[in-house]
Amino acid sequence: MTSSNLRNEGPRRASPPTTSDDLRLAIIAADPKLSRFNPLPRILALDEFNSGTHGWTELIGNHDGTGDLNVVDDHMRDFRPPQLSSCTFFDVGTHGAMSGTYALKIATRPITGHTAVAIRRLTMADRGLVQIEAYFTYKTEAASEENQAASQPGAGAWDANIHPSEKQFGAFTFATDICDADGVRYHTVARYQNTNLDREFTRQWMYPVVPEPTPREHFENKVHLEYAADFTAPNPDDWRPFGNPQSLCYNEVPTKVNWHYLRWQIDTRLRRNVELQVNDRIYDMREIPVPVYTEHYESLENLLNFYVSARTHTSVRNFMFLDTVLISVDW
Amino acid sequence: MRQSLTAVIERNTPAAGEFKTEPYEVGWASEARWFLRLNTIPEDRPRIEYVTQISPDGLVWCDLDGSGYESTGEALISASVQEFGNWLRIRGTIDGVSASTKLTIYLALKS
């Protein structure tokens, strides 16, 4: 597993170059909305949140035939509705997003362990490379008399560089939920852990070694998780680091928004990760294991879901912002 | 075509007592409407009081003038909100319900 500096080589070629490839790359390079991305040959979705939520919605656990929400798993019943945010703050007013005024905001409650999740639901027309790219940032909620964030766990001293709120951001996660036509289901997961559960900086990319507990496993009494459990993999011991720690640009205070580039590629033919790029780092993820559910699932034929989550490790709201997401494939 | 978005601000949460909803950004919307729905049982005679709150920054809040609402005996109530700025939440009180009664709050927005 390695990380390395990146030299931007532009959109990647799937095969030896042809005139049509050159034309495609030239068109991408000339389009202001696309030239900041490196898409695979077919673009499935270009989600610029200045024009709406583009199908990114709140994740929820399953309910029964009567629509009884009391049967929804406790840890999957409150993932919060995403917001179209103008990135407005107490000090400067509206900051705005990268591509316009609005970004998608995924906001936790101020409850230790609470996770907010937005999900995008697609299906697969073939197998092969799948890539999600995003411009994102992450913030904690600024302190106020009502939220008392400055005195909540994780807040440290202010030295005019590192802000106390930075240690109050827990983790954000990019992940998938995929099911082959034969019912084989798995998740690929890339989590940025800003702080550990003791609210110490780790700034470490992580992956889980177990598949996410499902509502069916709860229904069959195989698992029961409490509210605010880590739904992706509830046991902290089931998370492993990959690559070297990576510092991101929180930019000193909770009200300055700097957008980061992320590109994460997986291979659905091989059911594995390929690589993760975050700004100037590329992490080779080919050897990272992808746990597969031992039981098969129906009703999920060719499932291809992407989710993005934020998780707070203290009693302060954590925010994940997405300016734009691009999903592309090589089929 | 106009944009619209319905957010489930509270979903099936215990209803009795005082509550304040999470901050929600609505700066893109020119119309907003709350729906409060109680999953009642026959013994319930719910009484709801709430007021819409607005904020310049999502941190400090004040009541929106004229946005108070009271209801008795209704399982679904709704009211619109005007000229609300970038943030909305509501604070309220519910009584006359059993411990098993749950509250769901929808916020329906249009550009």
Side-chain angles (χ1 to χ4, degrees):
Chain A
M1 225 164 299
T2 60
S3 59
S4 61
N5 290 329
L6 169 78
R7 203 166 145 263
N8 192 339
E9 296 168 349
R12 281 139 192 263
R13 298 177 193 279
S15 54
T18 64
T19 301
S20 65
D21 288 332
D22 290 339
L23 179 59
R24 173 184 158 273
L25 296 178
I27 290 171
I28 289 171
D31 183 340
K33 290 185 182 298
L34 292 177
S35 66
R36 55 188 144 143
F37 292 106
N38 296 291
L40 294 170
R42 190 183 307 280
I43 295 172
L44 291 185
L46 174 60
D47 302 333
E48 190 177 278
F49 297 108
N50 194 49
S51 57
T53 54
H54 289 265
W56 288 84
T57 188
E58 177 182 357
L59 175 63
I60 183 174
N62 295 341
H63 42 75
D64 67 10
T66 69
D68 181 4
L69 293 173
N70 292 307
V71 306
V72 175
D73 298 2
D74 280 338
H75 72 293
M76 298 188 80
R77 65 176 170 79
D78 189 29
F79 284 146
R80 309 308 304 157
Q83 309 179 37
L84 291 172
S85 169
S86 58
C87 307
T88 294
F89 301 106
F90 78 95
D91 51 359
V92 297
T94 295
H95 191 300
M98 178 174 170
S99 301
T101 301
Y102 299 105
L104 194 77
K105 181 167 86 171
I106 301 162
T108 73
R109 288 188 190 264
I111 297 173
T112 301
H114 183 261
T115 305
V117 189
I119 190 165
R120 180 76 148 102
R121 297 190 170 107
L122 303 172
T123 56
M124 299 183 283
D126 204 344
R127 300 290 179 273
L129 296 178
V130 175
Q131 183 171 274
I132 181 170
E133 297 171 83
Y135 281 88
F136 73 92
T137 196
Y138 63 102
K139 307 306 288 186
T140 60
E141 186 171 61
S144 71
E145 184 176 344
E146 181 174 310
N147 68 28
Q148 291 291 306
S151 58
Q152 298 304 304
W158 181 58
D159 64 5
N161 177 210
I162 296 288
H163 192 271
S165 67
E166 188 169 351
K167 271 191 181 172
Q168 293 180 321
F169 187 89
F172 65 80
T173 304
F174 284 76
T176 64
D177 186 0
I178 299 172
C179 192
D180 287 346
D182 55 2
V184 177
R185 185 180 181 188
Y186 59 97
H187 303 269
T188 57
V189 178
R191 167 172 292 184
Y192 182 76
Q193 187 194 60
N194 183 56
T195 59
N196 60 22
L197 297 178
D198 295 323
R199 295 169 289 273
E200 300 161 331
F201 282 128
T202 53
R203 295 168 171 147
Q204 179 66 55
W205 288 96
M206 312 277 285
Y207 69 95
V209 295
V210 295
E212 172 192 314
T214 67
R216 191 173 78 178
E217 289 170 327
H218 180 216
F219 181 76
E220 295 170 343
N221 293 317
K222 295 174 179 173
V223 61
H224 177 73
L225 296 171
E226 303 297 325
Y227 181 84
D230 187 355
F231 84 100
T232 303
N235 185 345
D237 294 336
D238 286 334
W239 289 88
R240 302 282 188 278
F242 67 90
N244 297 319
Q246 179 178 16
S247 292
L248 301 178
C249 186
Y250 184 81
N251 196 350
E252 300 186 316
V253 294
T255 58
K256 294 179 180 175
V257 168
N258 289 76
W259 298 96
H260 299 69
Y261 175 64
L262 177 144
R263 182 182 60 82
W264 181 33
Q265 193 175 103
I266 63 174
D267 187 332
T268 59
R269 193 180 307 281
L270 301 173
R271 296 180 187 143
R272 72 177 189 188
N273 296 284
V274 179
E275 64 183 18
L276 171 70
Q277 176 186 348
V278 182
N279 277 353
D280 55 350
R281 299 277 190 93
I282 295 179
Y283 300 94
D284 184 345
M285 296 182 69
R286 289 171 182 80
E287 301 304 317
I288 288 177
V290 176
V292 173
Y293 290 99
T294 55
E295 296 178 334
H296 284 204
Y297 281 79
E298 296 185 43
S299 187
L300 301 177
E301 194 98 349
N302 286 311
L303 180 80
L304 178 62
N305 288 349
F306 300 87
Y307 74 78
V308 178
S309 73
R311 186 163 197 256
T312 180
H313 295 164
T314 186
S315 46
V316 175
R317 292 183 182 91
N318 280 191
F319 305 137
M320 181 72 177
F321 293 90
L322 300 173
D323 176 86
T324 311
V325 169
L326 188 148
I327 297 168
S328 58
V329 299
D330 74 346
W331 64 60
Chain B
M1 185 176 292
R2 295 169 68 182
Q3 295 278 342
S4 67
L5 173 67
T6 296
V8 182
I9 303 296
E10 289 291 339
R11 180 188 301 104
N12 206 43
T13 54
E18 297 181 353
F19 65 91
K20 274 188 298 200
T21 60
E22 287 291 293
Y24 200 80
E25 291 203 43
V26 295
W28 61 272
S30 58
E31 292 184 19
R33 175 170 286 278
W34 297 108
F35 293 90
L36 281 70
R37 183 165 63 86
L38 289 168
N39 295 333
T40 54
I41 61 173
E43 292 75 25
D44 282 347
R45 184 164 171 74
R47 196 173 71 83
I48 301 176
E49 288 182 30
Y50 78 80
V51 63
T52 296
Q53 292 202 301
I54 55 175
S55 171
D57 56 10
L59 300 175
V60 295
W61 298 85
C62 62
D63 293 350
L64 178 62
D65 291 343
S67 68
Y69 195 96
E70 290 184 32
S71 164
T72 300
E74 295 177 278
L76 175 66
I77 61 176
S78 178
S80 66
V81 189
Q82 284 86 38
E83 298 178 0
F84 39 76
N86 191 59
W87 305 80
L88 282 176
R89 75 175 185 184
I90 55 176
R91 64 175 181 84
T93 305
I94 297 175
D95 54 33
V97 296
S98 66
S100 64
T101 303
K102 301 288 184 67
L103 169 68
T104 297
I105 300 176
Y106 300 90
L107 179 58
L109 302 160
K110 284 184 189 172
S111 60

